[in-house]
Amino acid sequence: MSDRDSVTVAIVGAGEMGAAVGRRLREAGARVVTSLAGRGAESVARVRSADLEVVNDDDALVLDASFVLSIVPPGVAVEVAERLRGPLGRARAKPVYVECNAISPATCRQIHGLLGAISFIDAGIIGGPPAAGTQDPARGPRFYASGPDAHLLTRLANFGLDIAILDGPVGAASGLKLSYAGLTKGFTALCATMLGAAEREGLDDALRAELARSQPIFLAWLDRAVPAMRPKAYRWVAEMRQIAEFVGSPDDGATIYEGAALLYQRTANQRHKGRLAGG
């Protein structure tokens, strides 16, 4: 039996990233299963488009899995691990649990401890969802992996994923992911904050004109990043709080990310109200 015939990957989380990663793995020859239990119409459509196998029972989902990839909102990462602890212990193939969420190193270590003797990899995903119709690892995100079992994840490099091993313990990959997201998503929050303040004072046109004169590259990035943030803001609230935990005390700058969480929550609430009102 070839490696391609023998790999089953269970994807927990049918969001944009989870479904796209599942599709990439399936297109490269892996068997990919996921659950739609409790998921909405958008998740159902994503999974159907990716042509993933649906298994809604947790025991059946992980029973023959070589890897279980948890790709869920950071606020439910611990809950997912708690739910799967029993099924993972009963699984036939003794899968490797790959914690891929935007969580702090402390939360990652908590999940590792929760799962006990189960093989565990801390993985941080940096980059957008992989493109369809290609197995080129460069056309997708990079999975940074750390911990004693990190080398096991290189098996999925045969299935179109870009895998990079960090020389560090469980928590290192999560720390790298949050350091990166703290810069990119934190900077987006800063841009949205100051654009809003300038607009309230009637200075938005003057600010944009000055940026066009003195910081054109900055303005181009801002014009792309802030509008793209709005439909995703609800997903970034818990991530900002995990970054605040990672940063540490208010004196270290953690309050910056608590503020970013509040900004993203307000943005998400405004979009929700707009949809309810037909906007």
Side-chain angles (χ1 to χ4, degrees):
M1 179 179 289
S2 71
D3 191 52
R4 289 180 181 270
D5 293 330
S6 62
V7 171
T8 295
V9 180
I11 303 284
V12 184
E16 290 182 25
M17 180 65 76
V21 168
R23 179 183 57 211
R24 169 66 62 85
L25 292 166
R26 179 193 58 75
E27 289 175 346
R31 176 181 177 233
V32 183
V33 295
T34 193
S35 172
L36 285 172
R39 305 289 300 197
E42 290 183 357
S43 293
V44 172
R46 278 191 293 263
V47 167
R48 286 178 177 170
S49 176
D51 197 20
L52 306 184
E53 184 178 338
V54 177
V55 180
N56 287 331
D57 175 78
D58 285 343
D59 278 280
L61 179 70
V62 305
L63 182 65
D64 295 311
S66 307
F67 296 91
V68 175
L69 272 56
S70 175
I71 309 177
V72 299
V76 298
V78 175
E79 175 187 330
V80 166
E82 288 175 335
R83 193 186 85 215
L84 292 178
R85 178 169 50 179
L88 287 166
R90 295 187 289 270
R92 205 157 33 207
K94 301 306 176 191
V96 179
Y97 191 88
V98 188
E99 173 50 64
C100 302
N101 303 304
I103 56 176
S104 70
T107 301
C108 188
R109 289 189 287 267
Q110 177 189 353
I111 292 172
H112 184 207
L114 177 72
L115 294 177
I118 295 165
S119 293
F120 183 92
I121 296 173
D122 172 20
I125 305 176
I126 294 182
T134 176
Q135 296 168 25
D136 180 3
R139 297 191 63 192
R142 170 164 287 188
F143 286 68
Y144 285 94
S146 68
D149 295 324
H151 65 283
L152 299 174
L153 196 61
T154 58
R155 189 177 181 191
L156 295 188
N158 296 325
F159 297 87
L161 298 190
D162 181 4
I163 310 295
I165 306 301
L166 287 177
D167 183 14
V170 166
S174 289
L176 177 62
K177 162 65 178 178
L178 292 196
S179 297
Y180 184 91
L183 289 171
T184 56
K185 295 171 185 175
F187 190 50
T188 298
L190 180 64
C191 291
T193 297
M194 297 319 301
L195 282 175
E199 184 176 0
R200 287 192 295 273
E201 293 295 323
L203 296 169
D204 45 325
D205 288 343
L207 175 61
R208 294 181 63 82
E210 175 54 34
L211 290 173
R213 184 189 72 83
S214 61
Q215 301 286 347
I217 296 175
F218 178 18
L219 179 61
W221 189 92
L222 181 153
D223 280 342
R224 181 179 69 254
V226 174
M229 167 272 292
R230 294 189 178 106
K232 304 173 184 178
Y234 73 99
R235 299 201 324 242
W236 293 1
V237 176
E239 186 170 348
M240 293 301 104
R241 291 180 176 140
Q242 287 290 307
I243 293 172
E245 178 184 310
F246 172 53
V247 169
S249 71
D251 287 349
D252 294 321
T255 308
I256 295 170
Y257 294 97
E258 294 288 357
L262 293 173
L263 173 75
Y264 287 142
Q265 185 64 70
R266 187 187 69 184
T267 302
N269 291 345
Q270 289 171 339
R271 284 186 58 84
H272 181 67
K273 289 177 182 177
R275 287 195 298 269
L276 292 179

